Amino acid sequence: MKYDKWQKEILKASGDILANTGRQVGKTTVFSHKIGNYLIENPNTQVIVVSLTEDQAKLIIVMVLDYLEKKCKTNIQKGKNKPTTSRIWLRNNAHVISRPVGNTGDAVRGFTGDVLYIDEASGMPEMMWKAAMPTLMTTAGQIWMSSTPRGKFIDNTNKKNFFFKCWENKEDRWQVFNITSKQAMIDREISGDWTEEKRDKAIKFLKDQEALLTKMEFAQEYLGEFLDDMRQWF
C-alpha cells in the first residue's frame, strides 16, 4: 500500500509514540504494519496488543497476520504455534499477543512485553493503565498508543485521564502525531486504492457530517479535539 506522510513517519519512529487522530485515517492499519515490522526485525521479543473488547483485539491480530503473510509468509510459524485469533509466532521466536482488557485490565496482568500497543487508548479505564504498565518494567520496552478522543478528559474532580496527560507531553516523553480526518483525506496520494472519486466522496461525507453534528461532536470525531477545553492543535 501507499502510506500517507504521517504513516511513514510513524513507521520510522522509535520509542514511545502517541497518535491522536480523527476517525478512519488509517491509524490501526499503520500500527499493525509497525507491529509486523518489529516482529520481523527483533527476534525473541513479544508485542502485547491491548484493546477494550475481544472483537477489537482479534481484528488487530487479523491485520498483523495479513501484513505478515504478504511480506514474509514463510516466516510465520505453523503446527502447534500456528496463528490464532489472539497470537502470532514467527520463526525467529518473536510473537504478538492480543488481550481484551474490559473494565479492569486484569487480562494483561502477568505478561511481559517489549512493546505495548494500546488501541483506542482514550477509552481505556484508569485501572487498565495500572495493570498494563508493569509489563514493560524489566524490558525497557516501548509504548505505542493511538486513539480518537472519546468522552471527557477532565472529570468533575479536575483529574485528567492518562491518554490526555500523555498527549499534553509535558515531560517530552512522547512522539506525538496529530492527524485530522479531513487533512488525511485531502493529503492522501491518489492511487489505485485511493482514487479521486473516493477522495471527493470522502470530503463530501465530512462536509455532510459537519452540517449534521454539533461543532463539539464534529471536532472530537473528525478533528481529534478534546471535549473539555476544545484545545486546537492544528
Side-chain angles (χ1 to χ4, degrees):
M1 64 172 285
K2 286 190 175 182
Y3 295 109
D4 295 344
K5 180 181 177 182
W6 66 270
Q7 290 177 316
K8 293 177 182 177
E9 292 173 351
I10 285 178
L11 288 171
K12 292 178 182 178
S14 59
D16 297 332
I17 301 168
L18 185 154
N20 176 54
T21 79
R23 299 284 295 276
Q24 294 294 313
V25 301
K27 60 183 180 297
T28 307
T29 296
V30 72
F31 277 101
S32 66
H33 292 190
K34 189 172 180 67
I35 289 168
N37 290 338
Y38 184 89
L39 297 175
I40 294 168
E41 297 166 4
N42 296 274
N44 304 308
T45 56
Q46 176 166 266
V47 176
I48 302 172
V49 173
V50 173
S51 296
L52 274 172
T53 68
E54 186 174 359
D55 286 344
Q56 288 174 311
K58 288 180 179 179
L59 176 61
I60 296 173
I61 290 294
V62 168
M63 295 174 74
V64 174
L65 181 60
D66 178 69
Y67 177 71
L68 290 171
E69 285 181 334
K70 292 175 180 177
K71 186 164 185 176
C72 62
K73 188 172 184 178
T74 58
N75 289 341
I76 301 170
Q77 286 201 32
K78 300 179 181 179
K80 67 176 184 178
N81 283 335
K82 67 181 180 181
T84 68
T85 57
S86 63
R87 191 187 291 261
I88 304 168
W89 285 86
L90 295 189
R91 295 188 183 278
N92 65 3
N93 285 324
H95 61 287
V96 56
I97 183 170
S98 67
R99 305 297 294 169
V101 297
N103 293 323
T104 65
D106 286 346
V108 79
R109 289 183 182 273
F111 288 89
T112 300
D114 299 277
V115 173
L116 176 66
Y117 170 56
I118 303 169
D119 178 51
E120 292 299 342
S122 66
M124 289 292 173
E126 292 299 299
M127 292 179 67
M128 188 287 302
W129 300 102
K130 296 174 184 177
M133 287 303 183
T135 63
L136 304 172
M137 184 170 64
T138 60
T139 62
Q142 305 172 57
I143 306 175
W144 305 339
M145 66 174 80
S146 63
S147 192
T148 297
R150 295 172 57 183
K152 291 189 175 183
F153 286 78
I154 302 178
D155 64 21
N156 293 332
T157 64
N158 205 35
K159 182 180 179 182
K160 301 174 183 178
N161 80 11
F162 192 84
F163 180 74
F164 184 56
K165 286 188 286 188
C166 293
W167 175 82
E168 288 184 304
N169 203 23
K170 290 183 177 180
E171 297 179 355
D172 200 28
R173 170 183 178 179
W174 302 88
Q175 294 186 70
V176 177
F177 295 85
N178 294 301
I179 305 98
T180 71
S181 300
K182 184 177 181 180
Q183 205 59 48
M185 301 303 103
I186 293 173
D187 291 348
R188 184 162 296 161
E189 184 179 349
I190 298 299
S191 65
D193 294 326
W194 185 247
T195 62
E196 291 185 8
E197 181 182 9
K198 286 184 177 180
R199 179 198 62 193
D200 293 345
K201 286 185 175 180
I203 294 172
K204 183 180 184 303
F205 174 85
L206 288 170
K207 288 182 178 178
D208 292 341
Q209 286 288 287
E210 190 170 12
L212 288 169
L213 301 176
T214 67
K215 182 178 180 181
M216 185 176 289
E217 289 169 339
F218 184 81
Q220 178 181 247
E221 293 294 321
Y222 298 106
L223 303 180
E225 295 184 14
F226 298 96
L227 280 177
D228 291 274
D229 56 8
M230 298 302 291
R231 298 179 186 218
Q232 297 184 356
W233 39 255
F234 54 88

